[in-house]
Amino acid sequence: MSAMAGGIAYFVPAAQLAIESTGQVLRVTPSPSDTSAPTASPSAAAAPTPGAFTVLLLGSDDDSKFSSDHVLTQSMILVRIVPSTKQVTMLSIPRDLWVPLSTGGSGKVDGAYSYGGAGAAVATVEQNFRVHVDDYIWIGLLGLVKLIDAIGGIDVVTSNPVLDDYYPADIYGNSPYGYERVAVLGGPQHLDGLHAMQYVRSRHGDLQSDLGRSQRQQQVLIAIRQKAKQLSAEDLPGIAQALGGELKTSMSLTKVAQLLPVASSFDNLDAINQIILATPYTHGCGCPETYINGNWGLILPLVHQYFP
Amino acid sequence: MIPRFILAVLLAVVMVVVGITSFIYLGTRTSKVAVPAQKPTVVAPRAQALVLPGTLYIAQSGAIYSLSAGRFHQRSAEAGYSQPSLMPDGSLLVVKMSGYFSDVYVLSRFGTPLRQLTNNKYRFGMADPSLNHWSFYPRVSPDGGTLWMTYDGLKCDGCYDVSPAIYSMPLGGNIRQARAWTNGGYYSGGDQQPIPVAGGVIYTKYDYASSYDANQPNKLVGMLWFTNRAGAYGRELTSPGEDCRSPALSPAGNMIAMVCTYQKQESFLTIASWNGSSMGPRQNIVTDQLAAQPTWAPDGSGIAFLAPGVADGPFQLWWLPKEAYTPAPAPPPPTPTPGGPHNGPLPSPKPPPPAPPVKPIEVTTNSGFDATSPMAWLG
């Protein structure tokens, strides 16, 4: 019994995180005025795949510029997992995409979370992309840094040098509105949490701005998944301590437990579809502080092909 | 008979000890994925007594290390140093990263700072971080008179582009004497890793693949380029689809090693012949590792490179002997059997048993070398 007590004490941080972070109530509210939302292609209907589910991944800069839970979601990735065929599809939603928001009015899609939390973000995505989202996972920027450090860093082939003269100095800097210069050089390398965050967050030096950043975010997500396969149950308390307060999900503890073996069974990286909504799916300059418009006549058939 | 009170105390102590022991035991069962990399000086190369020729300089955590006669030595403090290359006199050119800027320094072969060759810090305060500059990948011409580097000298007004290009300047001269050989592209990551060669410079250009081939995706890739004079457009040595970078010229000057990633999260170590203006067919010599920074041994006996020791782990030093990528000499023709003329067909010679494939050898196991930093190898 005392051995069991020692074991329980060891896993307390993991249990605490599991209880605090999982099973968040997801209230999806339909948009009060949904007239401009696009309609799905009628030919896209397909028979549901047993066991398949869709998760919306949300990443936020949760620094002191924002009050807690009124943050923008700089990263929004729809992930569909089909356990029976071991297929994964990741679709990055451009943060600057101008859409009708579920909370009313129109705005950039990244603002939905700040107006109505995860429920509004999920509802906005569901209504505009005509998909059903089963669950969401939200992680703060600092949580991403700590998570990657807790798993010992990740290996990434950075496609190009990411050089940014106006990278936000809001995580470790003195002023949340300040800027700093960052340089993540190109090629295969082992990234710690800080440099991985710089790699996925920088967008000023990328002609594709948020779209280029979305590609990098997908690279890092896959790298994290690869590294996570090496973890053991005994690693969970350390990771839980690192993530404290920086992770929320609507998934229940039971579902998370069911997913772990499924996640570890995906070995073929080529079976992961990575979709970026670049031209011709979206248009607009995508420059910082501006917005881009969706070509919904092209987006919806694409979305319904991969997210039936 | 033991009093009941003492028994209870003993039992409580046992319970506490067992509880703590199980807690500690579970802590020892973690996967070790987050164990920090050790300094290479802590653990010598593997017990195979592998001794590489000459002295290899390599960077880890902002310090320069040397490997000679099978032993590592720390040559500089952990002060942001990386990207060593050799001067003709055996001293080292290195980059020192300092927050918002980086500069080129000369270190003695024992790591003592001798000279600062660039001064990229904005001197009039820190109002705008973009007024600082980066210098990366310094190289010196064979005669020792010219410094080559990647430098973001061209600043656009009112835009976010950071556009490093290939520059040359007199060694010891002023940055105002620097000449841009390339234009650095546009929102691409620019031109990097210059390798001065006879008649020009080889470098890595990062650009959008679709700009070169309409069938390619609108994706940033690396390509080896060559240009023979400052301001000339230059030309591709590798295609956008190959997605190559990190060129290294062989000691004889007739081979180029590089890493090619084919726009994926993989990295092949590739070699090709070089005739002074173009490259021959590619030969992928390491295809199952995340290879980085190939470096030719000065005596031509092989190629060192960096790659993770375990999947998704920090980068270690690896050694690929020449035999792995050089075809074995053909067996001698069969000699006639002594004893007079032989009528009829000669007996077919028994083929020699195939030589076992030569695999890369892992030199270190628990270091964490900077995979974006080239290595320098002194013969």
Side-chain angles (χ1 to χ4, degrees):
Chain A
M1 256 177 70
S2 55
M4 196 183 294
I8 289 169
Y10 182 83
F11 286 106
V12 158
Q16 200 174 352
L17 176 82
I19 292 163
E20 287 173 359
S21 303
T22 61
Q24 301 280 321
V25 177
L26 179 57
R27 289 195 186 87
V28 179
T29 49
S31 168
S33 57
D34 197 17
T35 52
S36 60
T39 54
S41 160
S43 62
T49 311
F53 59 95
T54 301
V55 178
L56 179 62
L57 303 183
L58 302 166
S60 287
D61 46 352
D62 54 340
D63 56 82
S64 56
K65 285 199 295 286
F66 303 94
S67 60
S68 64
D69 227 25
H70 288 281
V71 294
L72 303 174
T73 45
Q74 290 189 320
S75 176
M76 303 178 80
I77 303 177
L78 267 176
V79 183
R80 181 173 167 82
I81 299 166
V82 185
S84 56
T85 58
K86 296 188 175 181
Q87 275 190 321
V88 177
T89 302
M90 299 197 298
L91 183 147
S92 290
I93 299 171
R95 66 172 294 189
D96 296 327
L97 189 63
W98 192 264
V99 293
L101 300 175
S102 68
T103 50
S106 293
K108 289 184 185 180
V109 69
D110 69 348
Y113 188 96
S114 69
Y115 295 129
V122 168
T124 299
V125 169
E126 284 189 334
Q127 287 164 19
N128 287 282
F129 288 85
R130 300 296 178 195
V131 294
H132 171 69
V133 175
D134 294 288
D135 284 296
Y136 78 90
I137 300 172
W138 175 93
I139 187 166
L141 274 186
L142 204 52
L144 178 71
V145 175
K146 289 177 176 176
L147 171 68
I148 292 174
D149 284 337
I151 61 174
I154 51 173
D155 286 350
V156 174
V157 178
T158 60
S159 50
N160 59 295
V162 172
L163 308 166
D164 195 338
D165 281 353
Y166 297 98
Y167 181 84
D170 50 7
I171 297 292
Y172 297 112
N174 295 326
S175 163
Y177 295 96
Y179 294 106
E180 60 185 347
R181 296 188 93 205
V182 297
V184 179
L185 298 177
Q189 59 193 289
H190 189 73
L191 291 174
D192 62 10
L194 181 65
H195 290 94
M197 185 183 68
Q198 291 174 351
Y199 181 61
V200 300
R201 197 181 179 202
S202 168
R203 65 170 174 161
H204 292 117
D206 196 321
L207 199 56
Q208 299 185 102
S209 189
D210 192 51
L211 298 172
R213 183 166 73 168
S214 297
Q215 288 176 345
R216 289 180 256 130
Q217 289 168 353
Q218 292 190 359
Q219 286 174 7
V220 166
L221 269 182
I222 292 171
I224 291 172
R225 194 205 68 89
Q226 282 291 99
K227 190 66 178 278
K229 283 164 61 179
Q230 299 174 27
L231 298 175
S232 65
E234 287 82 2
D235 292 312
L236 292 178
I239 293 169
Q241 276 180 331
L243 277 174
E246 293 282 337
L247 181 77
K248 294 175 201 165
T249 178
S250 58
M251 287 187 193
S252 67
L253 204 50
T254 318
K255 191 164 185 179
V256 172
Q258 286 170 349
L259 275 182
L260 289 176
V262 174
S264 61
S265 69
F266 287 88
D267 282 327
N268 184 8
L269 292 184
D270 291 333
I272 299 177
N273 297 309
Q274 296 174 256
I275 304 171
I276 306 290
L277 295 179
T279 308
Y281 296 100
T282 54
H283 53 92
C285 86
C287 314
E289 312 311 330
T290 64
Y291 61 87
I292 59 176
N293 290 305
N295 184 347
W296 295 100
L298 294 177
I299 290 177
L300 290 180
L302 178 79
V303 169
H304 287 275
Q305 179 186 345
Y306 290 101
F307 295 81
Chain B
M1 183 167 172
I2 305 171
R4 199 177 279 185
F5 171 74
I6 294 175
L7 202 59
V9 169
L10 279 175
L11 195 59
V13 169
V14 169
M15 285 177 71
V16 168
V17 168
V18 171
I20 290 172
T21 306
S22 62
F23 187 97
I24 293 170
Y25 170 74
L26 286 169
T28 63
R29 305 238 327 143
T30 52
S31 63
K32 312 291 183 244
V33 291
V35 172
Q38 290 190 333
K39 287 186 174 189
T41 44
V42 173
V43 178
R46 299 186 74 172
Q48 321 173 343
L50 176 70
V51 176
L52 301 179
T55 302
L56 182 70
Y57 294 94
I58 190 168
Q60 176 173 321
S61 304
I64 303 293
Y65 292 85
S66 67
L67 171 62
S68 58
R71 293 184 68 84
F72 279 102
H73 299 275
Q74 186 169 349
R75 294 304 183 189
S76 78
E78 289 186 356
Y81 293 116
S82 65
Q83 303 176 6
S85 66
L86 289 170
M87 301 271 282
D89 64 357
S91 55
L92 297 172
L93 277 180
V94 296
V95 161
K96 185 177 184 184
M97 294 280 287
S98 308
Y100 294 177
F101 59 92
S102 61
D103 277 309
V104 179
Y105 282 75
V106 180
L107 303 185
S108 75
R109 67 178 66 186
F110 303 108
T112 310
L114 301 177
R115 291 166 77 186
Q116 181 176 347
L117 298 182
T118 61
N119 196 349
N120 290 333
K121 182 182 181 184
Y122 182 59
R123 279 173 247 174
F124 305 104
M126 294 299 295
D128 183 349
S130 72
L131 297 173
N132 297 278
H133 290 280
W134 300 118
S135 285
F136 294 127
Y137 303 109
R139 296 272 175 162
V140 72
S141 58
D143 64 2
T146 305
L147 169 66
W148 293 83
M149 62 181 172
T150 296
Y151 176 65
D152 62 336
L154 302 169
K155 295 281 187 181
C156 68
D157 192 19
C159 76
Y160 292 108
D161 188 21
V162 182
S163 181
I166 305 300
Y167 278 73
S168 69
M169 62 183 268
L171 190 75
N174 190 290
I175 196 68
R176 283 190 287 272
Q177 299 171 270
R179 248 186 340 165
W181 277 61
T182 67
N183 64 12
Y186 184 64
Y187 285 97
S188 64
D191 299 333
Q192 308 270 347
Q193 298 161 298
I195 307 292
V197 293
V201 60
I202 298 170
Y203 57 97
T204 304
K205 175 180 275 299
Y206 290 95
D207 210 343
Y208 286 90
S210 53
S211 304
Y212 300 84
D213 182 349
N215 296 321
Q216 289 285 327
N218 189 29
K219 202 172 177 182
L220 281 165
V221 296
M223 291 171 285
L224 299 198
W225 274 53
F226 173 76
T227 187
N228 59 4
R229 63 185 166 84
Y233 183 68
R235 59 188 168 77
E236 306 160 48
L237 297 176
T238 62
S239 69
E242 291 174 287
D243 199 0
C244 299
R245 64 205 84 204
S246 302
L249 193 66
S250 67
N254 60 351
M255 298 286 288
I256 290 178
M258 63 200 129
V259 294
C260 298
T261 64
Y262 300 92
Q263 302 181 15
K264 291 185 176 176
Q265 290 292 304
E266 61 189 22
S267 175
F268 292 176
L269 176 47
T270 304
I271 57 173
S273 60
W274 168 250
N275 65 8
S277 63
S278 61
M279 283 169 51
R282 321 291 189 259
Q283 186 185 352
N284 293 326
I285 55 175
V286 176
T287 57
D288 56 355
Q289 292 179 276
L290 204 61
Q293 306 300 342
T295 308
W296 298 86
D299 62 359
S301 58
I303 297 173
F305 63 99
L306 302 175
V310 295
D312 309 301
F315 280 66
Q316 307 299 328
L317 177 63
W318 292 75
W319 164 246
L320 186 66
K322 185 181 183 181
E323 293 71 30
Y325 53 87
T326 308
T335 50
T337 311
H342 181 84
N343 294 325
L346 284 168
S348 57
K350 196 177 174 184
V358 179
K359 298 277 188 186
I361 299 165
E362 188 177 2
V363 180
T364 64
T365 54
N366 52 4
S367 301
F369 295 115
D370 180 353
T372 65
S373 169
M375 297 178 279
W377 207 332
L378 181 65

